[in-house]
Amino acid sequence: MTGSEVSTPADPATPLPVQAVVLVGGQGTRLRPLTLSTPKPMLPTAGLPFLQHLLSRIRSAGITDVILSTSYKASVFEEYFGDGSKLGLSIQYVTESEPLGTGGGIRNVYDSIKHDTVMVFNGDVLSGCDLGAVLRTHEENDADVTLHLVRVGDPRAYGSVPTDDEGRVTAFIEKTQDPPTDQINAGTYVFDKSIIEQIPADTAVSVERQVFPTLLRNGNRVYGYVDATYWRDMGTPEDFVRGSADLVRGIAPSPALSGHRGESLVHEGAGVAPGALLIGGTVVGRGAEIGARARLDGAVVFDGAVIEAGAVVERSIVGFGARIGPRALIRDGVIADGADIGARCELLRGARVWPGVEIPDGGIRYSTDV
Ligand code: GTP
């Protein structure tokens, strides 16, 4: 890239000459069955579709021009965000009829790009990264691509991305038990527009596994911006529950949330009976009902769900309109929309209940008492 076009300090009043592309076309298989009805970036987190937290962060960094790269359940995004004006954004939608993967999804928006600098976001990342600093790093290095690399405590679960003394990426290393660095790809990139044009058109490609390694092999200038900020990929139920709780408690940053943040967040029209305990960043959606003496710890309760008296819900998601019966126990589980869990059932350790499924009273237990 040329010149100092993005060197302006981030000031929300002065839009940067940078376009944001947010990849939101994935099927979200790891979050099934919740994603059967709602695409992952639209799942409610701390009362808002997850994507709204990301879009607010983009807007706060001074970027107003956004392209949503959609595929799976594409219409849901436009119905909710429209032209983006309510968020101070101008949003365009570019939809793949067949999913093209993360690299193909970036290439597919090429004709809608009007700035030379493009910031690309995975649509499921919750992070406190300073986007202006990533852009400045890109400019200072005269890079073709700059990746946000975040340092994590245990990099073994991710591919790692080492850099040299100048911050230039030296390799993309697949998941291994012995990673050479704690820097991982955080799913936010700055691209020069000319590089996007080089990605093969109308072809399914992965940006992480194919596009980046190819750029490196071809001698392109690929740099990293490294930090150790809050970072979470919301792709699994465990991460989704943690990320939501962190938003509620103010541990995860989001310009979309203002005011007091505490142990729980109860939305309009929800009813919480006396003696119910809501802790650990629990969220209760609109019109949901929580019965007497129920205990919710790090629970994500979607709109219209019912948790009956004495039930316990820990680190779990309860879908739209689902019901958890009296004295049932849900721990590390996912209960999809409209499911009905009978009294005293116990669902533990990664249990997933599909939409509308009914489990009778006492129908699943881990213990022998009833
Ligand atoms: P899993 O199926 O659980 O792996 O989730 P996913 O489909 O969302 O895949 P992944 O988490 O790897 O995707 C990272 C980001 O890219 C997410 O924000 C996805 O919505 C998005 N994405 C994934 N595949 C595509 C695609 O084919 N097209 C577009 N436009 N975006 C995609």
Side-chain angles (χ1 to χ4, degrees), residues 55 58-59 63-66 83-91:
L55 291 175
I58 291 171
R59 180 66 189 88
I63 301 174
T64 55
D65 232 316
V66 177
D83 65 3
S85 51
K86 285 196 192 122
L87 297 178
L89 297 169
S90 163
I91 302 182

Side-chain angles (χ1 to χ4, degrees), residues 23-30 40 69 96 99-102 105 122-124:
L23 297 167
V24 293
Q27 304 219 355
T29 50
R30 289 166 297 158
K40 175 169 58 176
S69 170
E96 294 140 49
L100 292 173
T102 46
N122 276 354
D124 57 355

Side-chain angles (χ1 to χ4, degrees), residues 134-164:
V134 186
L135 285 164
R136 285 192 292 280
T137 300
H138 182 75
E139 181 185 0
E140 281 158 18
N141 290 320
D142 193 20
D144 294 322
V145 174
T146 301
L147 292 85
H148 172 212
L149 305 177
V150 68
R151 301 182 62 186
V152 294
D154 183 3
R156 285 174 305 179
Y158 308 91
S160 57
V161 186
T163 45
D164 68 14

Side-chain angles (χ1 to χ4, degrees), residues 26-277:
Q27 304 219 355
T29 50
R30 289 166 297 158
L31 271 173
R32 281 184 192 158
L34 298 172
T35 45
L36 296 175
S37 55
T38 308
K40 175 169 58 176
M42 294 302 284
L43 288 172
T45 21
L48 297 171
F50 176 75
L51 184 57
Q52 198 163 331
H53 299 290
L54 176 54
L55 291 175
S56 307
R57 204 157 68 79
I58 291 171
R59 180 66 189 88
S60 297
I63 301 174
T64 55
D65 232 316
V66 177
I67 305 173
L68 291 189
S69 170
T70 60
S71 176
Y72 180 66
K73 295 198 181 293
S75 61
V76 178
F77 297 92
E78 193 159 1
E79 278 159 25
Y80 187 88
F81 290 109
D83 65 3
S85 51
K86 285 196 192 122
L87 297 178
L89 297 169
S90 163
I91 302 182
Q92 274 176 275
Y93 300 83
V94 177
T95 303
E96 294 140 49
S97 40
E98 289 297 319
L100 292 173
T102 46
I106 298 170
R107 177 62 179 86
N108 199 48
V109 307
Y110 179 77
D111 291 342
S112 303
I113 295 173
K114 42 183 194 262
H115 295 300
D116 287 339
T117 306
V118 181
M119 199 155 200
V120 177
F121 297 83
N122 276 354
D124 57 355
V125 170
L126 184 58
S127 149
C129 169
D130 178 346
L131 302 180
V134 186
L135 285 164
R136 285 192 292 280
T137 300
H138 182 75
E139 181 185 0
E140 281 158 18
N141 290 320
D142 193 20
D144 294 322
V145 174
T146 301
L147 292 85
H148 172 212
L149 305 177
V150 68
R151 301 182 62 186
V152 294
D154 183 3
R156 285 174 305 179
Y158 308 91
S160 57
V161 186
T163 45
D164 68 14
D165 292 347
E166 265 83 55
R168 197 160 172 167
V169 171
T170 53
F172 288 93
I173 298 179
E174 299 272 336
K175 248 187 241 182
T176 152
Q177 278 310 299
D178 191 18
T181 168
D182 60 0
Q183 299 172 184
I184 64 157
N185 174 357
T188 299
Y189 324 113
V190 186
F191 272 85
D192 260 19
K193 183 181 176 184
S194 59
I195 298 292
I196 294 180
E197 194 181 13
Q198 292 172 29
I199 301 172
D202 303 319
T203 310
V205 280
S206 154
V207 74
E208 304 88 350
R209 288 188 296 281
Q210 291 162 279
V211 175
F212 289 146
T214 303
L215 289 173
L216 214 56
R217 268 198 306 279
N218 293 347
N220 287 93
R221 298 176 63 80
V222 182
Y223 280 78
Y225 168 84
V226 183
D227 67 12
T229 181
Y230 182 93
W231 182 85
R232 188 172 295 282
D233 165 343
M234 302 283 271
T236 63
E238 192 189 355
D239 280 313
F240 186 82
V241 161
R242 276 286 296 279
S244 174
D246 287 349
L247 280 166
V248 170
R249 301 209 284 184
I251 295 167
S254 170
L257 295 177
S258 54
H260 174 73
R261 295 204 247 167
E263 277 299 287
S264 65
L265 181 60
V266 177
H267 286 97
E268 218 175 286
V272 179
L277 180 65

